[in-house]
């Protein structure tokens, strides 16, 4: 038992540090190519909007909807385009407004 405990004392810190570095590298690779909303770059006529304080998906969609557009459908397309699972958005987040 003393051989194992001696090995753990001398190498335990190295193992823990190595595992933490591996975990840090793994998580950084996951986050590398994503923005706050997890989207790709806008294309064509799409616009990028920065969420302000008090903004909601509905208020943003209302701002960009044409007179004949269905605001609910625009909220749905904004959610899909930005890979959002719900309607929660935070100030400073960038959203892509799709071209309808």
């Amino acid at each position: 038992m003393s051989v194992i405990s001696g090995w753990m004392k001398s190498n335990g810190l190295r193992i823990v540090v190595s595992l933490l570095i591996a975990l840090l590298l793994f998580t950084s690779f996951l986050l590398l190519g994503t923005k706050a909303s997890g989207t790709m770059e806008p294309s064509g006529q799409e616009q990028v909007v920065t969420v302000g304080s008090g903004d909601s998906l509905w208020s943003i969609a209302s701002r960009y909807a044409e007179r004949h557009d269905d605001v609910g459908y625009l909220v749905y397309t904004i959610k899909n385009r930005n890979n959002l699972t719900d309607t929660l958005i935070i100030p400073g987040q960038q959203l892509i407004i799709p071209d309808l």
Side-chain angles (χ1 to χ4, degrees), residues 47-78:
Q47 300 179 38
V48 177
V49 173
T50 301
V51 176
S53 180
D55 279 344
S56 67
L57 281 180
W58 189 269
S59 66
I60 292 170
S62 297
R63 230 178 291 150
Y64 289 91
E66 299 293 326
R67 201 170 47 138
H68 60 277
D69 288 340
D70 178 8
V71 176
Y73 180 71
L74 188 52
V75 168
Y76 171 79
T77 58
I78 292 171

